[in-house]
Amino acid sequence: MLEELLTAAAATGSAGAVYLSAAARVVKQYERGVVFRLGRLHGEVRRPGFTLIVPAVDRMRKVNMQIVTMPVPAQEGITRDNVTVRVDAVVYFKVVDAAAAVVNVEDYRFAVSQMAQTSLRSIIGKSELDDLLSDREKLNQGLELMIDSPAVGWGVQIDRVEIKDVSLPDTMKRSMARQAEADRERRARVINADAELQASRKLAEAAQQMADTPSALQLRLLQTVVAVAAEKNSTLVLPFPVELLRFLERAQQQIPPGTTRDTREQPTGT
């Protein structure tokens, strides 16, 4: 009798151990467990930790809740200003509703990937080349909104979408390089012209000042002689300005006619 009881207890224990091993499940911290009983969604989503299911009746599917980094393959399209480009991007998303991600869509990763590729091609066709090159932040927001709208029903939340690179044809690169070079040359010419204008204004002011004060021209001439003589030249060619001759002529006209140097220097007393 005792042996039969021990045998039954051992069999029961073995059966319990087998049942427990078949029913026991461990859900990790970054996962959620979705249980299907006879093909139907059963109960709430299982939280992280140890949990039990009914063997051969329940089936639990674990869903990763971590942020997924998904590269979007390069898409080739024509922009609104008729330029052929290749654009690739990256999508950051995570599952926020494990039950919806399992029930509402067959493969949420594949669905998000296809939606991202389609949205990227749509963004390329709606944008101009300058927007793709300089205003990416706005395009990223528009692309994120286009992907996130259908993904809400899949239990997926799009965290961020970034355009990684924009590839241009070689002919377009050369055209842009020539355009940038021409723009830099135009700015250089404008700066030179502005400098010439300012210099001409200063020279006009200096000429007016010298015309009002002829002695200033003579002083400037002497400064030029000093500057040239400092270079130790054996030959010095010095232009003689007409204004200086006119100054000397006016000075000569101020002397009374018939007056000589000796008479001017003779004392007036007897």
Side-chain angles (χ1 to χ4, degrees), residues 128-146:
E128 296 184 356
L129 180 61
D130 293 340
D131 297 333
L132 289 174
L133 297 177
S134 60
D135 197 7
R136 292 189 182 182
E137 188 66 27
K138 182 179 179 180
L139 297 180
N140 292 338
Q141 295 176 359
L143 190 58
E144 178 181 348
L145 182 61
M146 293 178 64

Side-chain angles (χ1 to χ4, degrees), residues 79-240:
T79 61
R80 193 167 59 181
D81 49 353
N82 299 324
V83 179
T84 303
V85 295
R86 288 178 59 88
V87 182
D88 58 349
V90 59
V91 181
Y92 302 90
F93 68 93
K94 64 180 179 180
V95 177
V96 294
D97 189 348
V102 175
V103 175
N104 295 345
V105 62
E106 180 180 2
D107 187 351
Y108 65 89
R109 289 176 178 264
F110 181 74
V112 171
S113 176
Q114 294 300 311
M115 180 57 64
Q117 296 180 36
T118 305
S119 301
L120 183 57
R121 293 179 68 90
S122 178
I123 283 292
I124 293 174
K126 295 179 180 179
S127 305
E128 296 184 356
L129 180 61
D130 293 340
D131 297 333
L132 289 174
L133 297 177
S134 60
D135 197 7
R136 292 189 182 182
E137 188 66 27
K138 182 179 179 180
L139 297 180
N140 292 338
Q141 295 176 359
L143 190 58
E144 178 181 348
L145 182 61
M146 293 178 64
I147 302 175
D148 190 58
S149 298
V152 173
W154 304 338
V156 177
Q157 177 182 349
I158 306 299
D159 282 352
R160 191 171 182 84
V161 181
E162 292 285 346
I163 295 177
K164 294 172 58 178
D165 187 26
V166 178
S167 300
L168 300 175
D170 294 337
T171 55
M172 179 57 63
K173 292 180 180 179
R174 290 193 292 267
S175 298
M176 295 177 64
R178 289 195 298 267
Q179 179 183 1
E181 184 178 358
D183 185 67
R184 288 194 297 269
E185 185 177 356
R186 178 185 62 84
R187 291 199 300 266
R189 290 184 177 180
V190 170
I191 293 174
N192 290 334
D194 185 64
E196 292 292 340
L197 177 60
Q198 295 180 9
S200 62
R201 289 176 179 175
K202 293 298 182 181
L203 290 175
E205 294 177 2
Q208 184 64 34
Q209 184 68 26
M210 290 181 179
D212 296 339
T213 309
S215 58
L217 180 60
Q218 185 178 2
L219 294 176
R220 181 58 183 166
L221 179 61
L222 294 176
Q223 291 178 357
T224 304
V225 173
V226 173
V228 174
E231 298 180 0
K232 299 179 181 180
N233 294 326
S234 58
T235 304
L236 177 61
V237 178
L238 182 64
F240 202 78

Side-chain angles (χ1 to χ4, degrees), residues 21-39:
S21 62
R25 296 289 187 274
V26 175
V27 181
K28 297 180 181 179
Q29 181 65 37
Y30 55 85
E31 295 177 336
R32 298 294 183 270
V34 181
V35 178
F36 293 91
R37 177 164 293 178
L38 298 177

